[in-house]
Amino acid sequence: MSVGQDTKYLHFIGAVYLDGFLWTNALEWNGYYKVDIKTGKAVFLGLFDYADILADKLFYQVLNYDKFVFFIPWFSNYLVRLDTITLETKYWKLPEIIEVEIAKFRAAHIYGKKIFMFPHVGNSICVFDIEKELFECDEKVVKEISQFEKGNIKDRFLQGCQKEEVVYLPHFSSSLVLKYNLIDYKCEVILFPKEEKNIVYIAEVDNKLIILTGIGNIWEYCMDNHCRRLIYQYDGEKYYPYRCVVPVKDSLYLMPAREKHMKVLKNGGEDIIPYPFGWELKYINVDIESVFDGHFIDESRILFYPCQGNMLLSLGVEQALLQGVEVCENPENREKAMVGHTVLFDIKGNILKESRVDLGLFLNVFTEKRYKSNHINNLETYGKQIWNTTKRG
């Protein structure tokens, strides 16, 4: 990809698909977007209230309910709802029991008319009633599983797998899976060998759980008879090599965390999938250890969300070929590129709200902040290429 001087990069962790668009928020600054699923082009929609323009890691994931999308707070202190038709936003301040300075939620599921948010660092499962607009917090589950946790807990639950009214949640600081019922709030702990270190990701295929562990192994867990077996053993040297395992037909695609390649497992064999030519890691100082941290499955492809890359990556599942999807087009002129413009209309066409953001000023400030920081990200330095040149066999 040829990168122009004024190209704006969009990094994000997750998105939700609704009406032809991926709705998402920027990872490294305060802004939210919609991305055209066909063209890959991103449209800047506005800034979140109650946050500085340079605030990073505000929201971890996005969920949809009817015509709305909800931004789940990570370091933000607010749950946010965006109306995808009017583009109006609504904010709910989190309950006081949720500590302000911590990473709040990295796992969230909707069941019925409630959003269940599971703690990243804190102790409370927080349930939001969408219709009543009320929060309910519960610390009993964390207390019940604390006997299995290791030492000083920094990371608890990651996004899990939902099977009807039950969710299975990975625990990032121990080798357990939390089975949680979204109706009666009861829980059960599923333990795996301690040498697996922690659980990274869970997917569901044919009433079986596909479980990725911190040392790169993959387990299969049968929900019917509770049997488990090791189906893939990582033979590399890195800890936390892969962030996610994506089942598609008879294959498993491994999305890299600290590894430098994407891998596909099929029919007992494995293959490396090279990155597209010109794809580079663009350094952003937000303490994200994974090259990728989310994905969306389309009819014939998987879109991977790189939180440390300059474009979406599209994987054609038939050809096992990665291609770049540019998320920010080169602007026609610098003046146009430097201004983010948002206009909201009512149903009669009257302007409700109009705002402009000087992106040029923001980018200059952010660049200064980025390069003057003494903190070194634990993956790569700015602009270093990470694509793997290994040829497929």
Side-chain angles (χ1 to χ4, degrees):
M1 181 184 79
S2 176
V3 179
Q5 182 179 357
D6 296 328
T7 298
K8 307 301 179 290
Y9 293 113
L10 173 62
H11 305 87
F12 56 102
I13 289 180
V16 67
Y17 175 77
L18 190 62
D19 296 332
F21 293 94
L22 293 174
W23 302 81
T24 185
N25 61 285
L27 174 61
E28 70 272 52
W29 74 288
N30 175 11
Y32 54 98
Y33 302 79
K34 64 178 181 179
V35 181
D36 191 302
I37 193 69
K38 293 182 179 179
T39 66
K41 294 178 181 178
V43 177
F44 172 75
L45 298 177
L47 301 176
F48 292 107
D49 295 339
Y50 310 110
D52 185 88
I53 191 172
L54 293 180
D56 59 24
K57 298 183 293 186
L58 287 174
F59 304 93
Y60 190 82
Q61 67 185 118
V62 191
L63 302 177
N64 75 285
Y65 178 87
D66 195 20
K67 64 176 181 177
F68 303 109
V69 295
F70 284 87
F71 295 91
I72 306 302
W74 192 7
F75 281 88
S76 172
N77 296 313
Y78 293 84
L79 173 68
V80 182
R81 186 190 73 187
L82 170 67
D83 187 318
T84 59
I85 297 177
T86 67
L87 298 184
E88 292 180 306
T89 52
K90 189 168 184 177
Y91 298 79
W92 293 274
K93 195 175 190 331
L94 294 176
E96 292 184 0
I97 194 174
I98 308 297
E99 297 180 48
V100 173
E101 299 296 329
I102 65 171
K104 297 167 184 69
F105 308 108
R106 286 182 69 177
H109 293 266
I110 289 182
Y111 184 77
K113 300 175 182 178
K114 293 182 178 180
I115 301 175
F116 293 77
M117 296 174 284
F118 298 87
H120 176 184
V121 175
N123 300 317
S124 296
I125 294 176
C126 193
V127 183
F128 179 74
D129 190 303
I130 296 173
E131 290 199 344
K132 296 179 181 178
E133 300 185 8
L134 295 174
F135 289 100
E136 172 188 357
C137 293
D138 182 11
E139 294 185 334
K140 295 194 298 291
V141 171
V142 171
K143 289 181 180 178
E144 287 183 29
I145 69 169
S146 60
Q147 59 182 307
F148 304 106
E149 296 179 335
K150 299 179 297 185
N152 181 25
I153 297 298
K154 293 183 179 180
D155 296 278
R156 280 198 163 99
F157 300 111
L158 300 179
Q159 182 62 13
C161 169
Q162 184 170 342
K163 181 75 171 177
E164 297 175 348
E165 76 278 6
V166 175
V167 292
Y168 297 85
L169 298 170
H171 196 288
F172 198 67
S173 292
S174 58
S175 55
L176 69 85
V177 170
L178 177 68
K179 179 181 178 182
Y180 184 87
N181 190 296
L182 301 174
I183 295 178
D184 59 20
Y185 300 2
K186 292 183 179 180
C187 70
E188 177 184 335
V189 171
I190 304 172
L191 294 174
F192 287 84
K194 292 183 178 180
E195 54 266 28
E196 298 293 343
K197 302 294 185 184
N198 56 307
I199 307 298
V200 175
Y201 192 81
I202 303 175
E204 187 266 333
V205 179
D206 298 329
N207 220 34
K208 296 178 181 178
L209 298 181
I210 306 298
I211 297 172
L212 176 65
T213 73
I215 61 174
N217 292 341
I218 299 177
W219 289 74
E220 182 183 81
Y221 176 84
C222 296
M223 288 184 277
D224 294 331
N225 56 21
H226 310 295
C227 291
R228 70 204 73 189
R229 66 186 182 99
L230 184 66
I231 61 174
Y232 172 76
Q233 191 162 8
Y234 174 68
D235 59 0
E237 299 179 352
K238 296 181 183 296
Y239 172 70
Y240 188 31
Y242 299 106
R243 173 63 184 92
C244 174
V245 54
V246 184
V248 179
K249 297 182 178 179
D250 59 347
S251 301
L252 298 177
Y253 293 89
L254 296 181
M255 181 194 308
R258 292 176 178 165
E259 269 292 3
K260 297 297 195 302
H261 59 254
M262 193 171 292
K263 180 178 288 189
V264 58
L265 308 177
K266 186 175 183 179
N267 297 328
E270 59 185 72
D271 199 0
I272 299 297
I273 304 176
Y275 293 110
F277 177 77
W279 191 75
E280 297 178 349
L281 177 135
K282 296 297 178 184
Y283 170 75
I284 52 176
N285 183 14
V286 287
D287 291 321
I288 303 296
E289 297 188 57
S290 298
V291 176
F292 299 94
D293 214 292
H295 68 279
F296 167 74
I297 300 180
D298 202 354
E299 293 180 357
S300 59
R301 60 178 177 168
I302 309 170
L303 286 178
F304 293 97
Y305 311 153
C307 48
Q308 301 193 42
N310 63 354
M311 64 176 79
L312 289 166
L313 287 187
S314 173
L315 175 65
V317 295
E318 296 296 334
Q319 304 87 3
L321 175 66
L322 273 175
Q323 295 177 314
V325 179
E326 189 175 347
V327 295
C328 293
E329 58 181 332
N330 292 332
E332 297 174 4
N333 58 67
R334 186 173 182 81
E335 182 179 356
K336 180 179 178 182
M338 290 298 100
V339 178
H341 186 200
T342 301
V343 182
L344 302 183
F345 299 91
D346 63 17
I347 58 176
K348 296 182 179 180
N350 300 314
I351 294 179
L352 294 174
K353 179 180 178 183
E354 185 170 5
S355 62
R356 288 180 178 270
V357 179
D358 188 342
L359 297 183
L361 175 63
F362 155 71
L363 288 172
N364 291 336
V365 172
F366 184 65
T367 301
E368 283 293 305
K369 177 186 175 184
R370 174 186 292 162
Y371 282 108
K372 287 186 177 181
S373 173
N374 292 323
H375 176 78
I376 302 299
N377 190 284
N378 52 22
L379 268 182
E380 303 283 355
T381 55
Y382 182 83
K384 185 174 181 181
Q385 295 179 350
I386 65 167
W387 40 263
N388 189 289
T389 57
T390 305
K391 300 295 183 181
R392 299 182 67 240

